[in-house]
Amino acid sequence: MSKIIIYTSNICPYCTMAKRLLDKKGASYSEINVDSKAGLRQEMMEKTQRRTVPQIFIGDLHVGGFDDLHALETKNELDPLLSL
């Protein structure tokens, strides 16, 4: 299974939905809460060029946010990414 990193924040319903989808798939992930330490949001923004959470990486691929993750699931493209 590919390494998954998800940037989240404390109060974020889209983060919760993204984690639920990954949990449903049985995927393990590392969560980086950008509210937990100064500089983490800036790190995320530099990597993704986006300000919003969640931001999801599967391996080296920047998937994007929850809508992007859900779109992959809808198109049956998420499972192959998770099993790389």
Side-chain angles (χ1 to χ4, degrees):
M1 205 172 250
S2 296
K3 181 178 178 181
I4 301 169
I5 297 173
I6 179 170
Y7 286 88
T8 65
S9 68
N10 290 333
I11 302 174
C12 170
Y14 290 99
C15 298
T16 301
M17 291 188 294
K19 292 186 290 184
R20 281 185 187 154
L21 176 55
L22 293 170
D23 289 341
K24 177 180 148 192
K25 293 290 186 180
S28 59
Y29 50 86
S30 298
E31 181 176 356
I32 301 173
N33 185 317
V34 299
D35 294 334
S36 67
K37 182 178 169 188
L40 287 177
R41 185 176 294 272
Q42 184 64 32
E43 172 188 303
M44 177 197 77
M45 288 169 38
E46 288 172 8
K47 285 183 178 179
T48 65
Q49 306 303 306
R50 296 185 184 183
R51 301 177 58 89
T52 60
V53 289
Q55 292 300 318
I56 304 156
F57 287 86
I58 299 175
D60 293 332
L61 175 68
H62 175 230
V63 171
F66 171 73
D67 291 338
D68 303 302
L69 184 70
H70 186 262
L72 288 171
E73 172 68 357
T74 301
K75 295 187 286 186
N76 295 316
E77 295 176 3
L78 182 57
D79 288 345
L81 286 176
L82 295 176
S83 63
L84 286 176

